Amino acid sequence: MSEYTIYHNPRCSKSRQTLELLKENGVEPKIVEYLKNPPSASELKKVLKLLGFEPQQLMRKKEAEYKEAGLDNDALSTDEQIKLMVAYPKVIERPVVFSADKAAVGRPPENVLELI
């Protein structure tokens, strides 16, 4: 079985539910509190590729930081968006669970069951 990682925010109920669901199914993921330890641009690119997402698809558009960072600017390149996601990790959707070859967003938490 592959090793799983979760970008986790312990204050988020969906993130806590997703982590609990993984554990109930025998998965002990590596927990990354991404607000304290944001992913690097290369890590974020890898996760986006595994999800098959463009950066905007992994953003929390209702967060104040989304507009503050200028992420609502359609002229930003993919690399610029990723750099801003690293600088403003609060805009990254949560939770994200991934392994070496697949990923899912835990909204709803049951989405991650397809990984295991």
Side-chain angles (χ1 to χ4, degrees):
M1 174 157 58
S2 9
E3 183 177 305
Y4 294 91
T5 300
I6 182 171
Y7 285 167
H8 179 61
N9 177 352
R11 296 185 61 193
C12 170
S13 64
K14 293 294 182 204
S15 196
R16 290 191 309 270
Q17 290 168 11
T18 299
L19 181 57
E20 183 66 27
L21 188 61
L22 288 168
K23 288 181 176 186
E24 286 171 4
N25 284 276
V27 175
E28 288 291 335
K30 175 183 173 190
I31 298 170
V32 175
E33 289 190 34
Y34 71 98
L35 295 177
K36 293 179 182 176
N37 299 301
S40 67
S42 63
E43 290 169 330
L44 208 46
K45 283 180 185 179
K46 175 189 165 201
V47 169
L48 287 164
K49 185 176 182 180
L50 290 172
L51 288 166
F53 281 11
E54 293 297 321
Q56 286 288 326
Q57 293 173 275
L58 193 61
M59 289 187 205
R60 300 175 57 84
K61 295 173 181 71
K62 293 181 181 173
E63 291 290 339
E65 287 86 350
Y66 179 78
K67 283 195 174 194
E68 287 172 17
L71 284 161
D72 55 346
N73 179 350
D74 293 337
L76 291 175
S77 71
T78 297
D79 284 342
E80 289 169 327
Q81 290 177 61
I82 289 170
K83 283 180 188 172
L84 287 169
M85 290 171 78
V86 170
Y88 297 89
K90 208 169 186 183
V91 303
I92 300 171
E93 186 60 85
R94 62 182 180 258
V96 178
V97 178
F98 59 95
S99 66
D101 59 352
K102 51 192 172 181
V105 176
R107 289 192 172 268
E110 294 76 20
N111 281 354
V112 302
L113 293 177
E114 66 192 42
L115 300 178
I116 56 179

